[in-house]
Amino acid sequence: MELGVIGLGRMGQIVAERVMDAGHDVVAFDIDDDAVAAMADAGATPADSIPDVADELGEEKRIWLMVPAGDPIDAALDELAPHVDSDDVVVDGGNSHFEASTRRASETEAAYLDCGTSGGPAGAELGFSLMVGGPEWAYEAMTPVFDAVATGPEGHDRMGPSGSGHYVKMVHNGVEYALMQAYGEGFELLHEGRYDLDLEAVARTWNNGAVIRSWLLELCEEAFREEGTDLGDVADHVAGGSTGTWTVQESLEQEVPLPLIYQALSERFGSRATGDGEGRFSRRLANRLRYGFGRHEVERQ
């Protein structure tokens, strides 16, 4: 297949590289000329504009947008509009709100697939988990690309109609908040409790056969190994929160109680209100975990 990739940040670069590694061709564009040049060196066909991407792709266009959510998505679609038709497919791989994705699907002549993407920079090696919403024919047309970008055929699926992919990813992120909070609180009690414990050893032991083993727990082990059991100068400041906020807002609209996710979101907001001092150990661990899975900047004291 031939895929146009618009947006070559960390995640877009991984998408393009995994697609090329699977034997497909990529036409690449980004507003950063250096990013385009680097992708050209890796074997992609460089494009100097969004319309140029469409022109390079031929009759049946398959395009993956990996640009920041919000206005940049709409701006890219506006530029694409004169160059795509109902036989073409556009994938939005960012963290867009599901209602915005539903609107874009109705306004875009091409088939629009909202694709929740999980796995962070680690996906460069392992592949992503992809939650896709939109027309079934478009999903099937993109299956070779999804197989390449995901961990494999089991790493992606069509969740349902337009909006459902980003809806599932929104809830995924809410669950992520709660899991991080639970690990943080457990390790805080171990850190402040009765024994002088090596928390890296605890995390490693739990990750070998324990009920609570997970990738997030592996990242806890990494955090203690690299920062020390007391997490060094990692600050009590947890950034992010938009997708968790959307999850809580949806729970209010649907009258579904989400006390754990709501409390985890509140802890993030609380960390920002108290400044960047040593503060709560659980929040400091959450701060470091965000670096582990997403390479987000670690706030430090």
Side-chain angles (χ1 to χ4, degrees):
M1 288 185 62
E2 189 173 39
L3 179 72
V5 178
I6 298 172
L8 300 172
R10 284 177 299 188
M11 298 290 278
Q13 178 182 342
I14 293 169
V15 167
E17 289 176 344
R18 287 188 63 84
V19 168
M20 289 190 293
D21 287 345
H24 306 296
D25 297 324
V26 166
V27 179
F29 172 72
D30 192 278
I31 58 174
D32 182 346
D33 293 338
D34 291 339
V36 176
M39 197 52 58
D41 289 342
T45 299
D48 56 19
S49 68
I50 289 177
D52 190 34
V53 172
D55 291 342
E56 290 280 352
L57 289 175
E59 291 186 4
E60 290 189 348
K61 299 172 178 61
R62 307 290 183 253
I63 299 171
W64 191 304
L65 301 179
M66 195 59 95
V67 301
D71 291 342
I73 294 285
D74 290 312
L77 289 173
D78 286 344
E79 286 197 63
L80 277 174
H83 306 276
V84 295
D85 59 31
S86 59
D87 293 326
D88 302 325
V89 181
V90 176
V91 177
D92 174 5
N95 268 333
S96 293
H97 192 283
F98 71 94
E99 290 180 338
S101 298
T102 303
R103 170 183 60 80
R104 289 169 183 142
S106 67
E107 295 174 349
T108 304
E109 184 174 357
Y112 191 83
L113 297 177
D114 49 288
C115 179
T117 306
S118 181
E125 179 179 352
L126 302 174
F128 296 126
S129 171
L130 304 176
M131 298 141 264
V132 186
E136 187 169 2
W137 76 263
Y139 170 76
E140 292 176 352
M142 291 295 294
T143 294
V145 164
F146 291 145
D147 285 347
V149 175
T151 54
E154 298 300 315
H156 63 89
D157 211 330
R158 178 178 176 267
M159 302 292 109
S162 297
S164 63
H166 282 149
Y167 189 88
V168 173
K169 178 56 163 58
M170 174 188 74
V171 176
H172 160 285
N173 283 22
V175 172
E176 175 188 291
Y177 287 23
L179 289 173
M180 291 169 64
Q181 182 68 21
Y183 283 129
E185 290 181 9
F187 279 112
E188 182 167 355
L189 180 56
L190 293 175
H191 184 260
E192 305 295 336
R194 295 172 180 266
Y195 298 98
D196 182 13
L197 297 170
D198 179 344
L199 297 188
E200 179 190 350
V202 172
R204 182 179 63 253
T205 303
W206 281 353
N207 255 320
N208 283 273
V211 171
I212 59 172
R213 63 189 182 274
S214 73
W215 183 43
L216 277 175
L217 189 55
E218 292 176 11
L219 295 177
C220 290
E221 180 184 347
E222 174 188 276
F224 296 129
R225 181 172 62 252
E226 296 183 358
E227 305 285 352
T229 282
D230 63 356
L231 292 178
D233 63 353
V234 174
D236 173 359
H237 182 102
V238 190
S242 59
T243 50
T245 299
W246 298 343
T247 306
V248 170
Q249 289 171 338
E250 176 67 2
S251 78
L252 296 174
E253 288 198 26
Q254 300 300 326
E255 299 185 2
V256 176
L258 302 180
L260 298 180
I261 294 174
Y262 174 76
Q263 183 61 34
L265 179 65
S266 297
E267 282 289 311
R268 291 195 177 204
F269 294 156
S271 76
R272 300 169 210 174
T274 57
D276 62 353
E278 182 175 342
R280 291 287 307 275
F281 191 86
S282 59
R283 295 169 175 172
R284 296 171 62 215
L285 181 56
N287 175 6
R288 185 54 170 74
L289 287 177
R290 293 186 77 249
Y291 171 79
F293 62 73
R295 293 299 182 256
H296 302 289
E297 182 179 357
V298 179
E299 294 280 345
R300 298 192 179 272
Q301 298 171 26

